[in-house]
Amino acid sequence: MKLPPFDYACPTTLPEAIELLASHDDAKAIAGGQSLVPMLAFRLAQPSLLVDLRKLADLRGIRISDAGVTLGAMVRWRDIEDDERLETAHPLLKAAISHVAHYQIRNRGTVGGSIAHADPAAEMPGIAMTCDAEIAVVGKSGAHVIQAADFFQGALTTALTTDEIIVEIRLPAWPAGRRWGFQEFARRRGDFAMAAAAVFYDQDERGKARNAHVGVIGVGDRPLRLTAVEDLLNGESIDEATIAKADAATSAAVEPQDDIHASAAYRRSLVGTMVERALTSAAAA
Amino acid sequence: MSVQFEVNGKNVEVEVEPRLTLADCLRHHLRLTGTHVGCEHGVCGACTVIVDGAAVRSCLMLAVQAEGAEIVTVEGLSNDDDLTPLQKSFRKHHALQCGFCTPGMITTAHVLLSEEPDCDAARVREVLSGNLCRCTGYISIVEAVLDARSAYGHKDDAGDRARERR
Amino acid sequence: MRTVNSLIGSAIERLEDLRFLRGRGQYVDDLARKDMLHAAFLRSSVAHGRIRSIDVSGARALPGVRGVLTAKDIGNRVPRVPMRLQPLPDFEPFGQPVIAETKVRYVGEVLAFVLADSAGIAEDALELIEVDIEALPAVADRHASAQNTSLLFEDKGTNLAIKFHAVLGDAAAAFKDAPYVRRESFRTQRHMALPMEPRGLLAEWDAVQGRLTVSGGAKVLFFNRRILAKEMGLPESAIEIVENDVGGGFGARGEFYPEDFLIPFAARHTGRPVKWTEDRRENLMCLNHAREAECDVEIACTREGTILGLRGHAYVDVGAYMRTNGAVGARNIAQFMSGPYRIANIDIDVALQLTNKTPVGTYRGPGRFETDFFRERFLDMVAQDLGLDRVEFRRRNLVSRQEMPYSIATITPFESKDAFDSGDYQITLDRCLDEIGWAEKSKLAGRLIDGRYHGLAIGCFIEGGAAGPKETARMVLEPDGLYSVYVGSSAIGQGLETAFAQIAADALEVPMNGIRGVFHGTTSFVSDGYGAYHSRSVVMGGSAMLEAATNLRDAIRAQAAGRLGCAPAEIEIVEGTKAVGPGGKSIPLKGLSTDGISAEGAFLNKKHTYTYGAHAAHVAVDPKLGHVELIDYVIVEDCGRIINPLTVHGQAIGSAVQGLGGAMMEHLVYDQQGQLLTGSLADYLIPTASDFPNIRAIVLENSPSPINPLGAKGAGEGGIIAAGGIMANAVANALSTFDVQPRELPLTPTRIWEMVQAAKQRAAE
C-alpha cells in the first residue's frame, strides 16, 4: 500500500500555506498525518500536493483564560494529556481525549487534524459540538470563525473550503462546580467509538440542572447535540428517574445505521446507556 | 527531495520522493531493517520508532517530515556485546516468538519506561495496546516490561512483591 | 542419549531471541538484490465474472514499468495450485489457475501483475490497467452455493466440491430407541490466521546455471519446490527454496499460493531478481481464510447422561477454489466432533460448498475450533435439559486411560482411520477445575454483581499432532568439534532453533554451546523434508534428529576405530567430545575429520499423537453493552513430553489469545456481492494487550506418547481449539436468567445484546 505520488511543501508562515492550498487543485493540508496517511495508503485520496503545517509554530499553544480554553490547531493529544491545567480548566476535554487512539498516535495526531477530518465517531468533534466550540479558520478571504454546529456537515465533510486552514479551537470557559460525564464504548480500547456521550450541566440554587449539554458520537454521520434530551434535563434533579428518561429520550432521538461493527438497534440502545452512565457519573461526583 | 536527519546518533542525508514513508526510508534507503512494516495504515505498531523522544508510527510519517529530527530505531537501542536490560527481560520472560512485532514493542516499551519507570501493569497494557502481536498473547510481554522497570529507576514496592507471589 | 542433567525439559532461553531483540532478524522483505524488480498484483474487485478483456497498455507505458503480465504471457497452459493434503481426484476440477484466465471467482484473484523499478511505481501502474469483466451473480454463502443456480465451474454442474462422511458404530440404531434426543444448529464465522508479517517472495534466476533461488519460503518448502519444479519444467535439483525468518504462520503462510509460481516465473521471464511484498490489504483478502462452518446435528443420550450417538450434517464454505489444504478443516469437523468423549455411534457428513470468496486453508486447529464449539455448546445445552451437572456429564463420557488406543470415527473418502495414542483426560479435567476454583466460583454463576452477570464454563479438548509420513534431519560433526544440525522442519516463530538444539544436545551428550546451530527449512539442508504443520515438528523433526544422532555417532565410532586400530563397537564416545578405545586410548573429536562427518536420520510415522486437556473460564457480562470481561481463563494441557517449558507455555497462551479473538471479535465479513467488507486492521479486529490479560496455562507431561522415541505429542494448537465453546458456554451461563443460548460466533457486543433482547421479548410473551 505504497502512497500515490504527490508534491510536498513545508511553508513557514500561514499566508504561505494558504497560498499553496489555494493555488493548487487537489492540494491537501497535512498535520499529524494519523488520519490522512492511511487514506493515502488505501488510495482513497490522491492529492497532487501535500502542504505540511508542522512549521507553523503559532498553532501549537494551549491558552487558558477567563474566556475559556483555546487549543492551537496543531496541539497534539499528547499535549492535552500532559497539560495539568486542563484537569480543572476543562476536565471533560481531558476525559474524552484519554479515549483517543493509541500511545504512538497520540504523539502525532492533532486537534485540528481531527476536526478537519470529521470522523463521525471521533471524540474531538464530539467535544466541539457538545461544548459549543468555535473553530477559527483562515483562508484566502481572511480569518473567520465557524460555530461547531455549522462546521460538521456529514461524514468526513466539513464547512472548510479547500484553501482554509483551522488555526484554533475555542472552548467556552468551564466554571468550577460544573457537573460532567463522559462515557464511551468501543470494540477494543482505542478503537473508534461505537457510541459515546459527553454531558455537562450546571445547577441552580435548588440543585436543579440548567444549561444541560448532551452530545453523542457514533450514531449519525456527524456529532450530535441532543436538544430534546437537554430540554428534559433542564429544571430537573438529575436523579435515577430523570436519568432513565434521558436514556430513553436519547435512543429515540437518534437514527444510527447498521455497519459491520454494530447493528443500528444495538447502537440506538448503546448511546442511551452511554448518556445514562455519563449522567450517573456526573450526578455522583 | 533531499532530507537530513539523525538516526541512532549518526547524521544521514537521503534523496527521496515525498511519498516515501519514514518506515520505508529507514528500511530500504538506510538498510535499517529492524523496523518492520506490518500494515502500512497505522494500526499494528510494528513500525514504531522514536522521533525526538516520542514513540511514533513510522508508516504514518513521511521521510521528508523527518527533516532535522533525531530518530532512534531498535538498532539504536542495541549493542553488539550484550543484550540491554530491556532485551534481557524480554528474553527471560519469553516475550517474543516470531520476532516480527518485537522491534515495535522494544521501542515503545523503552520510551514508556524512560518516561514512566513506575508504570503499573494496567498502564503497560494500555500503552502496548497500540502494538499488535499474534504469537505471544501479550502476557509475557507485559511481564517483561514490568520486570525491566528497575533498570529505568523504578524502586520495588508492595505491588511488585504481590505480583511476584502470584 | 543423555538422561541426567538433561536439556530436554529445561526452560532454556531462546537462541533466536538474540537476533530478534536487536532487530537483526532477516525476514524476506529485508532482502535486497541489485537490479531487483518489484512486483504488484492487479486483483479482481469483482467476485464472480467472465473476463472480457484486460488492457495493460497504459500500465506498460508508465515510466519505470518493466513488464505487465497476464495469463496470455504465462504460456500454453496456466498451472493450477495443487492439493497437498487429501489430493482426491474429486478436487481437481476446482483447482485454482495461478492467474485468472477466462473467469474470476473471488475478490482478490490475480488478473495481471506489474514489474517495476519500485513498489510505488508498480502500484501506480495497477491503476492504469483497464479491465472489462462481465459480472455474474455472486454465490455469497453455502445456501446459495447448494442451489447450484449460479455455478463457479459451469462444466462441473455443481458448487459442491465433495462430501466427507465420518462413521463409527451404528448411529441409526442408537438413535432409534434413544431415551433423549436433541437437535441443534451452530455456526462459526469466517476468520483467518493473520500473522504479523504479510507474505513475501524474492526470486532469482541464474540463466547461466539454470538455477532458481526463491526466498520467502515457509512451512512446506520441499513440497513447494516439487510443485514449482513441475510447473516451471525444471528439475528439483535446480531449485532452492530458502527459509528466512518468518513472522508467524499458524497454518496459513507457506502453502503454495498463486504468487509462489508467478514471482519465480517473472524472475526467469525477465532475467532479473523479482521481489514481491504482500501488503496488509492483500493479506486480508488473499491469505487462506478459514473457519466458516455450520452444522445441524442431533445428540442421543440416556437420561442419566451417557452419550449414545451423534449424527448430522455440517457445511463448510470453502471459497472459490480448492487449494493445497482446503479440505482439512472440513474433514476434521466431521471426524473430531466427538472430541475426547466416548461416543460409540457417529454419522456426520460434511459438505464442502464453493462460494465466490477467498479460498480456505488450514488455520491453527483447523476444523477443531469449529467442531469443539459445536460440541461443547451442545453438551452444556443437554446438561441443562437433563438437569445434569455440566462437569459430571462430561466426566462420565470422557474416553478413559484404559481405552487407549481409542479408535475414532473413520472418514470416507480418503479412508482415514485414527486412534488416540495415550492420555488420562480425568487428570487434566480435575486440574483445571482446581485451578479455576470451580467449586467456589460456581456460587457466582448467573449472579448479577455491580451491573454484570457472572458465568463459568469448562470443557475438554483434544489436539492432533505428528502428521507423517516422514521427517529428515542431518547432523554434522564439524572439524572444530562443534555439531551442526539441519532439519526439514520449518521455523514459524515457535522456537524451533532452541528446542531442537536441546534435543540435539541431549542426543549428542554435549552442552547447548556444543551445538553450532540448528538450520531449518531451506531445501538444500536435507535430502527431503516435510515441514511444520499439524503440531508435528518436535515429534517428527525431533525424532528424526535422534535417528540422525545415532547414525552420526556410529559414523564417528567407525572413523575413530580406524584411527585407533580397533573395532567400532569398542569405541565409546564421551561427552560428545572424545572417542575412547580399548585400554583407555582416546582421541578428541575435534579434528577427527578435516571435512567433518555427516549423517542423516529419518523418522517415519503413520500414526497421530493426541495432546489433550481442559479449559475453563470465568466471565462477567454487561448485558447493556454486550461486553464480556474475561476475569480468569485456565488452560491445562498434557503434551506428553515438554522439551522447553518456556516455549510450550508461550504457545499455549498465544494460541489461547488467538482462540479468544476467534470467539469474540474476529470476522471476515462479506456482502451479498462477494465484496470483502473487512479490508483493514481497523475492521478486522484481533486481540490487543488490553483485551485478555488474565490467562493461565499449565502444561503437563503425564501421558507420553508411545508412538515416538521422545514420547512427545506436539503442542501449539490446543489453546485455540477450546476457546469458542468455552466462551459461548460461559456467556450462556452468565446470562442464564435470560435463557440466552449462543449458537453462533463471534460473540460481539451486538450479538450478545440482541440475544438478551430476544430473550426478554420471549419472556414478555
Side-chain angles (χ1 to χ4, degrees), chain A residues 4 21 62 67 76 78-79 85 120 127 178 182-183 256 271:
Chain A
L21 287 174
I62 300 177
R76 302 165 305 161
R78 173 71 190 266
D79 301 323
R85 302 173 297 166
I127 293 299
R178 170 166 284 175
F182 183 84
Q183 287 284 317
V271 73

Side-chain angles (χ1 to χ4, degrees), chain C residues 108 138 203 224 245 397 479 524 544-545 676:
Chain C
N224 290 353
D245 288 319
N397 288 292
S524 51
M545 276 168 28
L676 180 62

Side-chain angles (χ1 to χ4, degrees), chain C residues 252-331:
Chain C
R253 183 206 308 280
E255 291 297 327
F256 198 94
Y257 287 89
E259 298 87 354
D260 290 287
F261 170 83
L262 294 170
I263 297 299
F265 176 87
R268 189 170 62 176
H269 183 80
T270 59
R272 288 171 66 173
V274 175
K275 184 180 187 190
W276 170 63
T277 303
E278 182 182 51
D279 63 40
R280 188 58 71 182
R281 193 187 68 100
E282 287 180 291
N283 182 255
L284 284 162
M285 71 167 83
C286 298
L287 193 72
N288 281 337
H289 287 185
R291 304 264 199 261
E292 187 167 8
E294 281 181 60
C295 73
D296 178 5
V297 285
E298 292 179 284
I299 193 168
C301 303
T302 66
R303 295 240 145 230
E304 298 73 38
T306 300
I307 303 173
L308 300 171
L310 191 60
R311 73 177 173 190
H313 312 284
Y315 310 91
V316 176
D317 182 322
V318 292
Y321 295 103
M322 291 304 302
R323 288 208 289 225
T324 56
N325 57 14
V328 174
R331 203 244 2 230

Side-chain angles (χ1 to χ4, degrees), chain B:
Chain B
M1 293 183 65
S2 176
V3 195
Q4 275 187 28
F5 48 91
E6 191 189 282
V7 183
N8 300 331
K10 260 180 56 181
N11 282 313
V12 298
E13 183 170 344
V14 286
E15 189 65 38
V16 298
E17 282 187 289
R19 63 161 155 177
L20 188 75
T21 61
L22 178 60
D24 281 345
C25 180
L26 292 167
R27 287 177 53 71
H28 301 299
H29 287 239
L30 299 174
R31 299 301 299 150
L32 291 166
T33 56
T35 300
H36 296 151
V37 170
C39 76
E40 292 178 295
H41 53 283
V43 178
C44 80
C47 69
T48 306
V49 299
I50 306 172
V51 177
D52 296 329
V56 151
R57 294 183 177 332
S58 63
C59 75
L60 294 188
M61 215 173 130
L62 305 175
V64 295
Q65 291 182 299
E67 176 74 42
E70 278 177 27
I71 296 176
V72 178
T73 67
V74 63
E75 291 92 338
L77 296 177
S78 308
N79 63 72
D80 284 330
D81 307 309
D82 202 1
L83 295 180
T84 63
L86 180 60
Q87 289 167 332
K88 280 195 175 130
S89 190
F90 265 62
R91 191 173 186 221
K92 173 178 162 202
H93 290 275
H94 188 39
L96 61 152
Q97 292 183 22
C98 81
F100 198 76
C101 76
T102 305
M105 293 288 181
I106 292 279
T107 48
T108 304
H110 175 75
V111 176
L112 171 64
L113 291 172
S114 302
E115 296 189 344
E116 302 174 45
D118 299 318
C119 55
D120 62 8
R123 177 65 177 155
V124 173
R125 280 197 289 272
E126 181 194 346
V127 169
L128 290 183
S129 57
N131 292 72
L132 297 180
C133 172
R134 203 52 167 157
C135 295
T136 66
Y138 305 103
I139 290 172
S140 56
I141 298 177
V142 173
E143 286 295 311
V145 175
L146 291 172
D147 201 14
R149 289 177 305 175
S150 52
Y152 289 80
H154 169 74
K155 297 281 179 283
D156 226 26
D157 60 32
D160 299 329
R161 290 192 284 279
R163 221 187 67 247
E164 257 155 69
R165 276 199 297 271
R166 258 191 282 113

